[in-house]
Amino acid sequence: MSDMATVHAFQARQLWHEAGWRSDATFAVDERGRVAHMESGTPQYLDDWVLPGMPNLHSHAFQRAMAGLAERRGPSDDSFWTWRETMYAFAARVDPDTLQAIAAQLYVEMLKAGYTQVCEFHYLHHQPDGTPYAQPEAMSLALIEAAREAGIALTLLPVLYMSGGFDGRPLSPRQRRFGHDVDNYFRLLATLRKLESDDVRLGVALHSLRAIPEQSWRGVVESEALKTGPVHIHIAEQIGEVQDCIATRGARPVEWLFQHAAVDRRWCLVHATHLTESETAQLARSGAIAGLCPTTEANLGDGLFPLARYLDANGVIGIGSDSHISISPVEELRWLEYGQRLQTRHRNVAARHAGDSVGETLWRASLRGGVQAADMAIGSLEHGKRADFVVLDHDSPLLAARDSRSAMDSFLFAGNVPLVRHVMTRGRWVVRDFKHHDEARIAARYRSAMERLTNA
């Protein structure tokens, strides 16, 4: 069978669904790459653990190429804000070709790790001096093409970024390539909406409260563009952000957002790290997603999300790799749990009831929230959904003698050996025996792009 051939029928020894593992489950894949009912034919037997691929609900693709370049101590205390200056300097050198090379490499790495969908929070719109490219959507097109090359499903979230702080100051020279006024932003959305397909979904991203002037806010959130599809926003990531919001707007960020927008299940509040008890309860009641990126939040010194209280309120979570200092749903979920253990000095925090599995609780919750944030037909091997799934390596010693009660916990907590052996997206194998079908070419181009970027 060719690595890129469409497979029509499967029988999985163990298949994950929302209620847990199901043994000897069968399913078919139609010519559109969607899950179909099994009608005839001899299925290919998958003697492994088969899971729906995880959505990655928060990505800044270009930051993959700067991972590891901001880990030297500066002359004063380092923080998110000093890291941001390094990021701005790096972003200034990225053009459409370089972005495509970086993103394709990133997306290959995501697939090999078990992510089969990515929500790209995209604010690198213009040339470094802030002037639009001859084709204003050039940077967005680079991301769409990179996703096509890799074979990953994409929710593209072009970002509205208007001001440099809560006080409405103009964008700094390093921020100008991010900026749009409202009319040009809506024109960009209209152009990109024509490119939606089975593989590409368009949503909306508001960079943050500090990046949208208060006088512009109402017109933006009440626009037609925000009435359908997913809406993502950075919020309450840093204590300094919370303090500035209180000083200028008289309320905490999440509190202010709920006062000034009809936040519902279409919204994804990325990070939402610093919440009061009342904000935590309000976010949970709204049905919106808390988009958590534990490895990036740790790398930037953001703080810890109030996970236990939020889960007890039936809040929705999802995970993302954000700045891509790690590209692994295993590590995101592991450190989501471990951060809570370090803070509370208790174990098995995410499992809220006796006998619950931490791994199953986190995978189930993050899969649900990721699907909601992506707004695509993904996340389960049910009729009509995209055939996006990962197959774990049943030959690995880490899964030896594991049964349905222990497999997920072993996958997430038993070591650092990669366990994702095969990956299928929209009915096509993109990873076989740990190797992406086009990884050599994509990696070679990435290395060349990095050499150009370094010498620029």
Side-chain angles (χ1 to χ4, degrees):
M1 183 193 322
S2 165
D3 278 349
M4 292 300 289
T6 300
V7 179
H8 293 288
F10 294 100
Q11 182 177 6
R13 183 169 67 89
Q14 293 286 345
L15 176 66
W16 174 264
H17 63 110
E18 192 170 27
W21 295 103
R22 181 182 298 160
S23 60
D24 294 321
T26 58
F27 61 96
V29 179
D30 65 21
E31 65 280 0
R32 299 180 305 140
R34 300 275 177 154
V35 178
H37 293 302
M38 186 89 161
E39 294 181 358
S40 62
T42 302
Q44 176 186 354
Y45 188 68
L46 300 173
D47 187 22
D48 295 278
W49 305 90
V50 179
L51 303 87
M54 180 63 70
N56 184 328
L57 60 62
H58 194 62
S59 166
H60 305 298
F62 77 93
Q63 292 180 19
R64 176 67 184 109
M66 64 167 282
L69 298 181
E71 307 304 323
R72 287 183 179 269
R73 187 178 178 90
S76 59
D77 286 344
D78 288 336
S79 67
F80 168 83
W81 309 105
T82 56
W83 170 89
R84 190 175 71 162
E85 291 303 312
T86 301
M87 181 271 288
Y88 286 165
F90 186 86
R93 303 197 298 273
V94 177
D95 61 18
D97 288 343
T98 307
L99 180 59
Q100 183 175 333
I102 296 169
Q105 175 64 29
L106 168 67
Y107 297 159
V108 166
E109 294 173 8
M110 284 186 185
L111 287 163
K112 292 174 69 174
Y115 291 116
T116 53
Q117 189 279 343
V118 57
C119 297
E120 189 62 50
F121 198 102
H122 167 55
Y123 55 82
L124 211 59
H125 296 301
H126 307 308
Q127 298 182 73
D129 65 358
T131 59
Y133 287 96
Q135 189 174 20
E137 67 275 19
M139 295 293 267
S140 295
L141 295 177
L143 293 166
I144 293 172
E145 182 60 20
R148 184 201 64 78
E149 286 185 271
I152 198 168
L154 173 69
T155 299
L156 182 63
L157 301 162
V159 172
L160 179 60
Y161 200 134
M162 300 175 66
S163 62
F166 281 103
D167 57 5
R169 73 180 77 110
L171 297 176
S172 72
R174 289 186 171 188
Q175 295 170 320
R176 284 176 189 158
R177 72 179 310 186
F178 311 155
H180 273 298
D181 61 34
V182 173
D183 290 341
N184 283 329
Y185 178 69
F186 288 156
R187 276 194 286 273
L188 175 66
L189 292 180
T191 298
L192 294 173
R193 198 166 298 283
K194 299 172 186 176
L195 303 179
E196 286 191 299
S197 67
D198 283 348
D199 299 316
V200 179
R201 177 80 168 102
L202 187 72
V204 170
L206 309 176
H207 181 270
S208 55
L209 295 185
R210 69 179 182 272
I212 312 291
E214 190 168 1
Q215 63 269 26
S216 302
W217 180 263
R218 183 172 178 178
V220 171
V221 298
E222 293 181 358
S223 68
E224 289 298 320
L226 268 72
K227 290 183 179 177
T228 59
V231 182
H232 291 221
I233 184 171
H234 291 134
I235 202 158
E237 179 179 3
Q238 286 278 326
I239 290 290
E241 175 191 355
V242 175
Q243 293 170 337
D244 287 349
C245 191
I246 293 171
T248 58
R249 300 194 183 180
R252 298 169 60 85
V254 172
E255 178 186 15
W256 193 94
L257 178 66
F258 275 88
Q259 290 170 354
H260 294 86
V263 178
D264 58 18
R265 68 183 312 278
R266 295 182 304 109
W267 286 68
C268 178
L269 278 59
V270 181
H271 304 307
T273 307
H274 300 287
L275 303 179
T276 64
E277 288 192 23
S278 62
E279 288 173 318
T280 303
Q282 188 170 30
L283 176 55
R285 285 195 304 271
S286 74
I289 310 107
L292 308 178
C293 308
T295 60
T296 291
E297 289 154 7
N299 184 267
L300 297 179
D302 288 346
L304 293 168
F305 180 81
L307 182 66
R309 192 163 67 236
Y310 187 69
L311 292 178
D312 286 344
N314 296 315
V316 182
I317 65 168
I319 55 168
S321 55
D322 195 350
S323 66
H324 314 302
I325 50 92
S326 175
I327 305 167
S328 167
V330 168
E331 193 166 10
E332 298 300 337
L333 294 177
R334 183 179 295 179
W335 283 102
L336 178 57
E337 170 68 19
Y338 284 174
Q340 304 299 311
R341 295 185 187 190
L342 289 168
Q343 184 179 47
T344 65
R345 298 184 295 281
H346 291 283
R347 299 188 70 252
N348 301 329
V349 176
R352 306 306 297 156
H353 303 97
D356 284 354
S357 154
V358 174
E360 291 188 6
T361 297
L362 290 174
W363 190 271
R364 181 184 295 113
S366 299
L367 192 61
R368 173 192 170 200
V371 170
Q372 187 174 317
D375 196 32
M376 298 184 82
I378 56 176
S380 63
L381 292 173
E382 298 175 355
H383 180 71
K385 300 290 182 72
R386 283 174 53 107
D388 295 352
F389 62 88
V390 303
V391 183
L392 303 186
D393 179 20
H394 75 279
D395 291 329
S396 172
L398 298 184
L399 295 179
R402 295 302 193 254
D403 60 17
S404 59
R405 284 182 53 83
S406 56
M408 185 68 80
D409 290 324
S410 296
F411 173 38
L412 297 183
F413 294 101
N416 292 311
V417 177
L419 291 179
V420 175
R421 184 168 187 167
H422 312 302
V423 181
M424 175 174 281
T425 61
R426 203 156 67 85
R428 294 180 179 272
W429 291 113
V430 291
V431 175
R432 293 289 266 173
D433 291 319
F434 307 100
K435 185 177 178 64
H436 186 275
H437 69 90
D438 201 18
E439 68 176 65
R441 180 190 68 83
I442 289 172
R445 184 183 59 185
Y446 174 78
R447 284 191 290 270
S448 295
M450 290 306 95
E451 289 173 1
R452 294 194 305 273
L453 197 65
T454 299
N455 296 325

